[in-house]
Amino acid sequence: MVNMDSDLRNRVVRPTQRILTGRVVRFMDGYPREVRIGQPVLVAVLTAASVAGLLVLLVRTALSRAGGGARRTWKDLKKGPEFLVTPLRVRDDKGLLYEVELHGHLPQSAVHPSDWVQLTLQPQDVDLPPRIERIVNLTTGQLLTPRTATVWSHLGPPLLIQAVLGAVLVLLVAAAVVLT
């Protein structure tokens, strides 16, 4: 008896074109992958946020004895957000079977096996199949864009606003020093 998955694996190719049109054959089991966060970006944001944080801490201390909210650690911030990766098999009209990756989530009813789709692909590392940027489900007429977590969504609006305020404060102090 021949294992169907091993038989498929031998015939699966990676698409080289940017647009791939075909029929969805199978969704493979998804797994989490981590977004890499560059240390210089994280250091710049946290440094600027610390300046504003010190000012807020001084005001809070002067007004009351209330403690601040829980802060995430350097390790937690550096780890980065995880997103779902779902390998997808698509067969074109010539009978070739391709493997691509879907990053993030789509509505459950958006794409089904046997749907005819047009995929816009983005190359990744040489070891990985291309990822799907956009899906046009030709069967239902839906235009779909998978969304994943980003560095900015991982850091969060409060930290980013605090970093912007800290950067503005540093620039104001620097301008005052230069002008006096």
Side-chain angles (χ1 to χ4, degrees):
M1 216 188 241
V2 176
N3 184 351
M4 189 173 176
D5 281 339
S6 64
D7 185 40
L8 282 177
R9 216 171 276 126
N10 293 334
R11 295 184 289 151
V12 173
V13 293
R14 293 208 174 142
T16 55
Q17 66 271 29
R18 176 121 166 94
I19 305 290
L20 173 64
T21 303
R23 193 165 298 281
V24 175
V25 174
R26 182 175 179 196
F27 287 93
M28 309 298 281
D29 290 333
Y31 60 91
R33 188 179 296 162
E34 187 177 302
V35 174
R36 293 183 208 119
I37 296 182
Q39 193 163 343
V41 171
L42 192 55
V43 168
V45 169
L46 288 178
T47 302
S50 295
V51 171
L54 287 174
L55 183 62
V56 169
L57 185 63
L58 287 173
V59 170
R60 215 181 256 163
T61 303
L63 296 177
S64 71
R65 294 278 181 200
R71 299 202 72 166
R72 292 182 286 169
T73 64
W74 170 264
K75 185 178 177 182
D76 291 338
L77 289 171
K78 189 173 184 233
K79 183 178 177 226
E82 288 184 343
F83 59 93
L84 179 65
V85 176
T86 306
L88 179 69
R89 301 267 169 89
V90 177
R91 188 176 305 278
D92 70 1
D93 56 354
K94 296 175 187 163
L96 292 173
L97 187 63
Y98 295 96
E99 183 172 81
V100 295
E101 288 185 346
L102 175 65
H103 291 189
H105 298 277
L106 289 175
Q108 193 168 6
S109 63
V111 179
H112 297 286
S114 81
D115 280 355
W116 192 254
V117 294
Q118 183 180 60
L119 308 174
T120 304
L121 303 174
Q122 180 71 35
Q124 299 187 94
D125 294 339
V126 293
D127 298 335
L128 299 172
R131 73 175 175 84
I132 298 171
E133 252 181 19
R134 189 180 74 176
I135 301 172
V136 178
N137 188 333
L138 300 171
T139 303
T140 64
Q142 289 180 302
L143 174 63
L144 306 160
T145 306
R147 299 281 181 216
T148 62
T150 65
V151 171
W152 307 114
S153 67
H154 173 65
L155 295 177
L159 184 61
L160 294 175
I161 291 169
Q162 190 175 340
V164 168
L165 291 174
V168 168
L169 186 61
V170 168
L171 289 174
L172 289 174
V173 169
V177 169
V178 169
L179 293 176
T180 57

